[in-house]
């Protein structure tokens, strides 16, 4: 079994992961939706759908539109709320031997801190991924993620509220993502993950209306991979904390590109909608790559780009 192969092990924020393949927030539900399709025990980690203090209904439909080599979404962070997650989903999810990261979303710095403090009390949650990069909500989210100053303030408060490993998810919509990454590192983040979606839109030429009720949405999928890769490379060169690469990953080869560019781990997003078993196929592909190249550990390729 590929999952028993120790060559894929990586360290992330003091946690030893079986492999560098995590599932990205919002594309893998609360994990349990994929139980029948994927061996959840084989994943490096699961990042669950963004959770807020209170349940949220999200934006009105239509909220998804297909685009060339990608998709636009404006879900607007619909979720069941942190308490329902802890009560109804986590007991079953934590039976798997796979770290669960909770992605958090809030409208104010105080709420981000409150969420972190609540999560801090729950042993079965391995870590927090703070989403300061959602482009599809009116308040909070990306407003914090595009400004280094604001991002730093969120992370400082969250850091004071929890001992858990803290990953901060960055926005490609920031004018200078490297400055945000540096500030977030200085404010106490244990890792950064990038990228979230890139703001885009689509038009229906017959109705002359936007294809999303929200007008704009977040672009994801293979279309954004080159942008994500470039940003991961830039950020990895600028910070000492680990970088988690996200954006358009469809195959083991894509994962390797991100790791060579400097990512210590990756998250698989939109690809889960195309092929729900893609994470398993990617893990198998990584094992094959190590074997074919006679490499002992995948860690040896991180940041080896010769540029
Ligand atoms: C339908 C959908 C919902 C998403 N929901 C969240 C979310 O709740 N929190 C978050 O941080 N990112 C969310 N994302 C962003 C993804 O986690 C990921 O960063 C992005 O889609 C880029 O990766 P990909 O190209 O592999 O999909 C969502 C993406 C999609 C497509």
């Amino acid at each position: 079994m590929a999952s028993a192969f120790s060559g894929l092990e990586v360290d992330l924020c003091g946690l030893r992961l079986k492999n560098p393949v995590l599932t990205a927030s919002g594309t893998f539900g609360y994990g349990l939706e994929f139980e029948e399709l994927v061996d959840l025990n084989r994943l490096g980690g699961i990042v669950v759908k963004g959770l807020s203090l209170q349940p949220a209904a999200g934006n009105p439909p239509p909220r998804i539109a297909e685009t060339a080599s990608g998709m636009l979404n404006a879900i607007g962070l619909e979720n069941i709320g942190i308490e329902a997650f802890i009560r109804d989903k986590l007991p079953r999810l934590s039976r798997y031997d796979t770290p669960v990261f909770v992605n958090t979303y809030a409208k104010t710095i105080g709420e981000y801190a409150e969420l972190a403090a609540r999560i801090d009390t729950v042993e079965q949650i391995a870590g927090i991924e703070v989403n300061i990069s959602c482009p599809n909500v009116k308040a909070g989210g990306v407003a914090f993620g595009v400004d280094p100053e604001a991002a730093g303030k969120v992370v400082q408060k969250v850091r004071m509220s929890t001992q858990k490993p803290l990953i901060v998810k960055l926005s490609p919509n920031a004018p200078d993502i490297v400055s945000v990454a540096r500030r977030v590192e200085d404010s106490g983040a244990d890792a950064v993950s990038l990228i979230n979606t890139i703001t885009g839109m689509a038009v229906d030429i017959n109705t002359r209306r936007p294809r999303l009720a929200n007008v704009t949405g977040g672009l994801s999928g293979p279309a954004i991979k080159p942008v994500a890769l470039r940003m991961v490379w830039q950020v990895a060169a600028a910070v000492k904390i680990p970088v988690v690469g996200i954006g358009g990953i469809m195959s083991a080869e894509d994962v390797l590109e991100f790791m060579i560019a400097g990512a210590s781990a990756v998250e698989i997003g939109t690809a889960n909608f195309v092929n729900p078993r893609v994470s398993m196929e990617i893990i198998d592909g990584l094992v094959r790559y190590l074997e074919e190249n006679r490499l002992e550990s995948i860690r040896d390729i991180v940041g080896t780009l010769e540029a």
Side-chain angles (χ1 to χ4, degrees):
M1 268 280 285
S3 56
F5 181 71
S6 66
L8 287 188
E9 285 178 1
V10 294
D11 296 308
L12 186 66
C13 322
L15 298 169
R16 175 55 62 101
L17 308 183
K18 275 173 280 197
N19 60 65
V21 180
L22 293 87
T23 54
S25 182
T27 65
F28 207 69
Y30 299 107
L32 300 173
E33 295 86 340
F34 283 74
E35 250 180 342
E36 305 291 322
L37 299 158
V38 166
D39 181 357
L40 298 179
N41 280 316
R42 287 190 65 204
L43 289 167
I46 296 171
V47 185
V48 300
K49 173 69 190 161
L51 290 163
S52 44
L53 282 173
Q54 302 300 331
N59 290 325
R63 310 195 288 186
I64 284 183
E66 211 171 312
T67 61
S69 299
M71 64 182 276
L72 286 164
N73 94 81
I75 305 292
L77 295 167
E78 173 182 2
N79 78 94
I80 59 174
I82 186 71
E83 292 307 330
F85 171 76
I86 292 169
R87 188 186 61 234
D88 303 334
K89 307 286 181 188
L90 191 59
R92 187 174 176 92
L93 193 53
S94 59
R95 281 198 240 147
Y96 293 94
D97 177 30
T98 298
V100 173
F101 294 84
V102 167
N103 178 283
T104 62
Y105 159 72
K107 291 196 176 69
T108 65
I109 294 179
E111 281 176 16
Y112 273 110
E114 208 179 312
L115 267 165
R118 176 68 181 103
I119 292 167
D120 197 62
T121 65
V122 184
E123 201 194 323
Q124 297 89 335
I125 298 175
I128 304 176
E129 181 179 63
V130 186
N131 177 9
I132 52 167
S133 46
C134 181
N136 303 322
V137 287
K138 288 200 175 60
V142 79
F144 294 109
V146 293
D147 172 31
E149 188 81 22
K153 280 191 185 139
V154 173
V155 176
Q156 229 170 28
K157 283 277 187 229
V158 169
R159 178 75 290 170
M160 288 183 333
S161 311
T162 181
Q163 304 283 327
K164 298 258 188 210
L166 206 60
I167 305 172
V168 179
K169 186 161 178 181
L170 305 181
S171 173
N173 301 311
D176 179 3
I177 196 169
V178 171
S179 297
V180 180
R182 284 206 182 104
R183 190 67 68 91
V184 155
E185 175 179 44
D186 291 344
S187 306
D190 297 307
V192 284
S193 57
L194 60 139
I195 58 176
N196 208 318
T197 54
I198 301 174
T199 305
M201 64 184 281
V203 172
D204 182 328
I205 58 166
N206 296 314
T207 60
R208 298 192 194 176
R209 295 179 63 81
R211 284 173 62 197
L212 296 172
N214 192 52
V215 185
T216 62
L219 181 65
S220 64
I224 71 169
K225 195 189 88 177
V227 177
L229 204 50
R230 184 263 294 177
M231 289 183 167
V232 162
W233 175 64
Q234 288 178 322
V235 168
V239 298
K240 291 187 191 67
I241 52 177
V243 173
V244 181
I246 320 169
I249 296 174
M250 304 295 285
S251 65
E253 287 74 18
D254 291 339
V255 172
L256 291 160
E257 277 193 68
F258 274 90
M259 296 187 79
I260 291 167
S264 299
V266 297
E267 294 178 17
I268 314 296
T270 301
N272 290 305
F273 298 133
V274 181
N275 170 11
R277 287 189 44 77
V278 71
S279 48
M280 301 291 105
E281 293 169 17
I282 287 176
I283 294 165
D284 291 338
L286 293 177
V287 173
R288 272 197 305 277
Y289 176 81
L290 289 192
E291 284 169 356
E292 282 164 16
N293 291 278
R294 298 179 193 285
L295 290 169
E296 271 183 20
S297 168
I298 193 125
R299 294 193 293 273
D300 295 340
I301 68 156
V302 173
T304 55
L305 185 77
E306 292 185 32

